[in-house]
Structure formats: structure tokens, C-alpha cells
Amino acid sequence: MEKSKQDPSTLPRHIGWFTASCVLVSSVVGTGIFTTTGFMARDLGHPGLILSVWLVGALIALAGALSYSELGAAFPVAGGEYTYLRRAYGPFLGFLSGWTSFTIGFSAAIAASAMSFAAYFLQLLPLNGEGRLLSTALALALLWSITGFHLAGGGAGSALQRSLTLLKVGAILLFMVAGLMFGAGDWAHLIPADTQPAFSMGAYVVSLVFVLYAYSGWNTAAYLAGEITDPARTIPRTMIGGTLFVALLYLMLNGFYFYALPVTELATPPLLPVADKVARAMLGLEAGRFVTVILCLSIAGAVSAMVWVGSRVYYAMAQDGLIPSIFANTSGRQCTPFNAILLQSLWASVLIVSGSFEQLVIYSGFALVIFSALAVGAVLILRRREPDLPRPYRTPFYPFIPAFYVMVSIVIVGSVLYERPLEGGVGIATVLAGTPLYLLWYRFRRIGKKGA
């Protein structure tokens, strides 16, 4: 696809709003919506409170999407928040953002998701027990089959992403329709129980952290900004519309959970398989297998989205000279960042084989909240520092929306550091572990320039 002389992207623009929306929806809708409501039923004990947490989470994600839309339209290039942090705060913070994306943000999340896919897929097979070797093989097979599609070019990757997203959303809607038509639920379950636990702000905040993790991924369109057609219109349309769609889907699913079972039963152990519990109550024992199929589709779509968008961060870093330029190399007619995709999938494979991704994932949510808050803060900084920067889209109700997102993020970070100082400290340490690499590479580049 031809580009205008004013187009700053070095990649061909071939991604329309529908494909970009599929990437966003698949990235957000993973396993969280199918597993977290049981914990909230135990801790909050009130359907209205639980629905309000999902609604508040949607408003926070929407505030982030509105802010990122301004940045994505102003900087329609690959890299997402790495690009925004580098522009607003300098290359060092941009590098740490990219380092975090590589070590825990994408690669560890890909590894964890692939292993989760293997665990759920094995439940569909008539096997006795779960072998670690078989799970690892299935996880690697999923990862590299998806990687193959994205290495083949944007056309193959786009087709895969659209297919997985449509199958995922279609299966979720079919699940709800079948339950409403054939299940024996009761909307009276939405009435508060007399034995509900006393309201606790701490429990509410913890539930909100769970919900925000389930909403994470609303910013994925920003990473593909360099390949999106008509980015000034498509990026805001994708981020805002996609986030609203996911919010509606989440509220519908939670409403369906409460229609199926009273909150007291949702709060009865086991808490994790809440969707499976609902399916069995509504449609019988075999319905749990259908939920497992939904989970497999959901995870596969999320892995595909992360393989696609994560590689664009390392591609952008290589273009800026913050990592070796070999990772900026592209191949094929659609200029696929071949080496950046390989780098990410190889590291994710190492994490899968070694099993070392689990602790990284625990700390990743905390670190990612920090960087997303810094990226939204870049809206405030760049409005003041670069008032004449062309902004095809401007965040509405400025500065209140970006300030709201930043303040909520500060509260969450402060709460995590207070309630879970070990996890918070290790999360910060993981981020700062990239500092020696940055200093070494910076020194190497200076020596190289002097030698030239």
C-alpha cells in the first residue's frame, strides 16, 4: 500500500478498523472474565457491588483509551507506549518500557497463556492425569503455529486474528443465548442476600485490581499504529469502540452469571471456574466442556494478538537504535518485522520450557499499571511542551480524563505497595533490571560512533 510523503510510518498500512478491533478484543478478553467473579462474590457478596466494580473498571479503561487515542493519532508509528514515553520522558524511560514489554509484559504473558491453553485443552481429551511434557509440547505448538501465521505476513496474521476473535465472541454469545433459552435461571438472584459480608473498601479495591487486569489490552491498537489505515480516525474509533464493546460484553456475562446462580453459590468453593459452574448449573454437566472450548479459543486469540503487537515494540526500539538494528529488519511484500517476532517467540519458548514465567506474570500487572499511567501522563506533558504538535484527535474533557486515569493508577500502585510490598518491590526491581543493559548499549553505541 502506498503512503503519502507526510506519513511517518516505515511499515505499509494494511490494517483496517475491523481487524484492529479484533486485535483489541482478543487481547482483552482472555480468562479473567471467566474466573474472577467467584472471588468477588466471596469478598463483596453483593451482585450490585460486583457489577459496579466491572463498570468502574470499564470507565478507567475508557479513560485510558481516550487518552491513548490522542497519542496514537499524533504519533501513528509502531511501538505504542514505548514511543510515547520516549517522546515525553526520553530514551531511558522508553527503553525500560520496552524492556518490561519484552521480559514480562508480552513474552511472559504469552508463555503463561500458552500453558493455560494446554491445561484447558488437555481437559477435553480422555487422558488420565496431566503430563508436564505434554503440556509444554502443546504450549509450544500453539505458540509456533501462531507465530508462523504472523511471520507469513500481515495478510495471514490478520485473517487468523479475525477468525479467532469471531469464533471467540460467537461462542460466548451462543453460551449466553443457550443459557437464557434452555437454562433454569432466575433474575431474582440479583436481589442482595441477607447474609452478605459487610462492605470493605479494601476488598473493593482488590476486586478492582482483578477487574483492571481483565481489561488490560485496551491499548493494543496503539502498538499497530504504524500499520493502521487512516490512523487519525481508525485509532480512536478502534480504542474507544473496542473498549466499550468489551465493557458491554463483560457486564452481560456477569449479569448472566447472577441469572444462573445466586451470589452465595458463586462464592462457594471452588471459586476459580465460575463460568464452568454456571454452565453446569444452567445446561448440564457436559456444558462445562463447551466453556473449556470457549476458554481455549479465548486464549488462542489473546496469544495471537500479543505475538502480533509485542513484536512492534522491539521493532521500534531497533529503529531508534536502543537495541541492535537487526530487529528492525523486515521481509516480504508487507514488510513483516521478521526478526522482532522471532526474538519474542524464542524468549517466550524459553519461559515455557523452563517454567519461569509464573513469578514474572505475578509482578507484571503492577509494572504495566505504572507504564500505562506514565503514557497517559504524556498527554499532559506533551500538551504543555509541544502545543503546536498536530493532534488529529484530542482527548475530550482535557485535562480531567487523563488526570483521572493517572490518579487512579497512583492509588492502585500505592495500595499494592502497602498491601503487597514484596510483589511491588520485585515488580519495580524487574523493571530496573534493564538499566545495566541500557547503559552498556549506550556506551557501545558511543564507542561505535567514535570509531566510525
Side-chain angles (χ1 to χ4, degrees), residues 61-294:
L62 182 61
L66 289 167
S67 302
Y68 266 66
S69 293
E70 175 172 323
L71 296 168
F75 306 109
V77 294
E81 61 195 28
Y82 156 75
T83 301
Y84 314 146
L85 267 62
R86 189 180 190 279
R87 181 77 171 232
Y89 305 102
F92 173 61
L93 202 54
F95 178 88
L96 289 183
S97 170
W99 159 259
T100 304
S101 293
F102 176 67
T103 54
I104 59 178
F106 286 109
S107 300
I110 289 170
S113 298
M115 288 300 293
S116 294
F117 172 89
Y120 285 116
F121 188 82
L122 286 174
Q123 293 179 15
L124 299 173
L125 302 178
L127 299 175
N128 295 322
E130 177 187 344
R132 166 71 186 178
L133 183 61
L134 181 57
S135 295
T136 300
L138 280 172
L140 291 173
L142 173 72
L143 170 60
W144 284 101
S145 59
I146 287 175
T147 298
F149 272 92
H150 290 293
L151 288 175
S158 297
L160 174 68
Q161 194 65 62
R162 289 193 298 268
S163 299
L164 289 172
T165 305
L166 290 174
L167 285 171
K168 172 196 299 192
V169 174
I172 292 172
L173 294 176
L174 178 61
F175 172 50
M176 289 191 288
V177 170
L180 292 172
M181 291 181 64
F182 306 110
D186 191 342
W187 291 115
H189 296 161
L190 287 167
I191 300 174
D194 295 333
T195 58
Q196 68 188 67
F199 176 76
S200 166
M201 181 56 69
Y204 195 91
V205 171
V206 170
S207 296
L208 183 59
V209 172
F210 277 120
V211 165
L212 290 177
Y213 187 79
Y215 275 110
S216 61
W218 51 262
N219 59 347
T220 48
Y223 296 95
L224 298 174
E227 300 159 82
I228 289 178
T229 58
D230 191 9
R233 294 182 58 196
T234 304
I235 291 174
R237 183 182 181 187
T238 298
M239 284 198 181
I240 298 168
T243 302
L244 289 172
F245 175 81
V246 171
L248 177 61
L249 186 66
Y250 280 4
L251 289 170
M252 288 170 56
L253 262 173
N254 276 280
F256 178 70
Y257 293 160
F258 295 126
Y259 169 75
L261 292 170
V263 69
T264 51
E265 291 192 34
L266 292 175
T268 302
L271 300 175
L272 189 64
V274 62
D276 180 76
K277 186 187 297 185
V278 165
R280 292 172 184 271
M282 293 285 282
L283 301 170
L285 294 178
E286 286 300 314
R289 294 176 64 84
F290 184 67
V291 170
T292 303
V293 171
I294 295 177

Side-chain angles (χ1 to χ4, degrees), residues 1 10-14 151-156 330-336:
M1 181 176 292
T10 55
L11 297 171
R13 297 195 179 277
H14 63 92
L151 288 175
T330 58
S331 65
R333 186 178 62 181
Q334 294 178 323
C335 300
T336 302

Side-chain angles (χ1 to χ4, degrees), residues 15-27 165 220-221 234 237-239 241-242:
I15 301 174
W17 74 268
F18 182 70
T19 299
S21 298
C22 285
V23 175
L24 185 149
V25 171
S26 269
S27 182
T165 305
T220 48
T234 304
R237 183 182 181 187
T238 298
M239 284 198 181

